Structure formats: structure tokens, C-alpha cells
Amino acid sequence: MCDIDTEHKPVLDTRLERKRVPGKCIKCKTAKPNVTIRGCLYCKPCFVSASIVKFRGALKKSNGRVDAQRRQQNGALEPQRLMVALSGGPSSTAMLHLVADYQQSVTQKSGDFVQPPYADIVVGHVDESALFDVPEGAVRNIANGRTFHEASLEDIFSVSDDRDVLLKIVRASMASEEQQSGGGFSAQIIKNSDKHTPPRERLRQLFSALDSDSSRESLLDAIRTFLLVRLARALQ
């Protein structure tokens, strides 16, 4: 009978040695690493390059799923607009640049005409100035002239067509608060008794009623998600 350990272990060790150079980037094997991801060491240029490749692969896969759904529905495959949610922070700013670079890389891949993945790349933003100090125009500057679609947190008090969806999202995110208030917490969003209170003040009161930062963050995330989805649907 073959001894698996003695016959195959040296082969595995040899492969590991070939993949890794001690103290060097796992990709280029020459530069000193300064980024560690899941136990793998990368130098900065190789990490950025690998991240871009991975992001583009995920985006292309996502586009493939969307195209398949559209074929089943109406057979149309004309490029659609893509909305990138932009908060103004480093993560969403980087994502906007990555999506724009992907669009450009596809159309410039060869001398022949290549249909771009998206008809246009637009920006969706939720104005949170009712709760936080935000420099005026800062996010629009990051959008760099792209079509800019904006909603404000206090808009939740004026929605009517999607009110049930909003309440469902808030109740799912704020389950403990809903239970403690007997369902009265989410009702504050749609009550009409505060018509004389400005929406921005109503919003501050809503967040002030919460006891913890985690609860406020959960509510903020729920409202932000609802408004961004609403903006995206308006583009269709």
C-alpha cells in the first residue's frame, strides 16, 4: 500500500516554497510587503493591482446575472444606467473610481467598437446634514460632474407610495426598539401630529429617542438604504 504522507508531502512542501519567498510580496516576490490579507503578504502596488482585478471580476459577474434576468423578462440587452451610492467617504469614493475605470477599460480594450457595460454612471447620495456637520458641496465635488441624484434623511416623513416598504425596513432593523415600544417607534415616522415641527427637527427627535449609538446607527443605515434604493428605482 502506498504511504500518502511520504510520497506526497514533499511535493506539497515544494509547491509552497515555490509560491512564497520569505519576507517578500507573494505576487511579485521581490518587493517588501506592507499589506497582509488572510495571511498573504503583498506590497502596495501588487495589492492595488490584485484588488482591481478582483473588483472587476465581481462586477462582470454581477452584470452577467442582471443580463440573464433581463433576457428572461423582455430580451432587451441595451446598457442601463448604473447608480453608485456615494457618501463622500474613502470607500464609496474608491468604488466610484473603480467603476468608472472599469467602464473605460472595456470600451478601450481594442480598436473596434465595444458596447460599454453601462449607458451612464450616475451618483446617488443621501444628505445627512440634518444630523451631522457636512461641508456644503463636498460630495458633489467628488462626483466630478457626473449626474447627481440626492435625497435627504428627513424625506422619510414625506414618502407616501413606499411607506410600507420603509416601515418594513425600519422594523426589521430596530426589532428590539419596536418590541419595547409596542410598535410605536416606527409609527413616529408616519404620524401626522407633528406637521408644525420642521422635518429636520423631527428627525433629530427621532434619533434622540434612541438609547444607544448602535441603535442610532441601525436606524441610520435602514433609512439610508431605503432612500438609495428609492433613488435607483427612479432611474428605471
Side-chain angles (χ1 to χ4, degrees):
M1 183 178 290
C2 296
D3 188 337
I4 295 177
D5 291 336
T6 57
E7 290 199 9
H8 292 280
K9 190 173 181 180
V11 176
L12 293 174
D13 288 345
T14 302
R15 289 175 180 172
L16 288 174
E17 291 174 2
R18 191 163 61 241
K19 285 183 178 180
R20 298 175 183 268
V21 177
K24 298 297 181 181
C25 170
I26 192 173
K27 188 173 177 65
C28 67
K29 300 177 178 59
T30 57
K32 183 179 178 180
N34 47 22
V35 179
T36 304
I37 301 294
R38 296 178 182 174
C40 296
L41 305 177
Y42 292 89
C43 64
K44 185 176 179 180
C46 286
F47 169 72
V48 171
S49 175
S51 298
I52 291 175
V53 170
K54 190 170 184 179
F55 178 85
R56 289 181 177 179
L59 202 58
K60 186 176 181 179
K61 186 176 181 179
S62 176
N63 290 341
R65 289 196 296 265
V66 172
D67 288 345
Q69 293 174 354
R70 291 168 60 200
R71 282 194 188 97
Q72 292 180 351
Q73 293 174 356
N74 52 24
L77 283 180
E78 289 295 321
Q80 293 185 318
R81 285 180 291 178
L82 175 74
M83 190 186 83
V84 177
L86 182 65
S87 67
S91 297
S92 61
T93 301
M95 184 169 65
L96 177 61
H97 289 305
L98 285 169
V99 172
D101 289 344
Y102 170 71
Q103 171 98 327
Q104 188 175 19
S105 69
V106 171
T107 56
Q108 295 181 351
K109 186 172 292 186
S110 65
D112 299 330
F113 172 77
V114 178
Q115 182 170 268
Y118 312 109
D120 191 17
I121 298 173
V122 303
V123 169
H125 173 66
V126 176
D127 177 18
E128 301 176 5
S129 61
L131 298 177
F132 310 105
D133 292 330
V134 181
E136 186 177 354
V139 180
R140 284 185 179 272
N141 292 336
I142 296 174
N144 196 25
R146 294 190 179 278
T147 304
F148 196 84
H149 299 270
E150 186 177 40
S152 299
L153 289 176
E154 58 269 26
D155 290 346
I156 59 170
F157 297 117
S158 59
V159 299
S160 56
D161 50 339
D162 291 331
R163 182 169 292 175
D164 291 340
V165 177
L166 171 61
L167 293 180
K168 185 177 181 180
I169 294 174
V170 171
R171 285 167 180 162
S173 302
M174 313 293 295
S176 60
E177 287 76 8
E178 276 291 285
Q179 187 174 7
Q180 292 174 8
S181 64
F185 178 77
S186 60
Q188 295 182 55
I189 297 176
I190 60 172
K191 67 180 181 180
N192 297 318
S193 59
D194 288 340
K195 288 184 177 180
H196 299 295
T197 303
R200 293 170 72 90
E201 182 59 31
R202 286 182 63 186
L203 186 73
R204 296 188 190 102
Q205 292 174 0
L206 187 66
F207 277 82
S208 298
L210 297 172
D211 297 329
S212 66
D213 290 339
S214 60
S215 295
R216 283 186 280 272
E217 184 62 34
S218 295
L219 178 60
L220 178 61
D221 185 61
I223 295 174
R224 189 190 292 129
T225 299
F226 167 78
L227 291 173
L228 286 171
V229 171
R230 200 162 183 261
L231 284 176
R233 286 176 176 169
L235 299 178
Q236 297 178 353

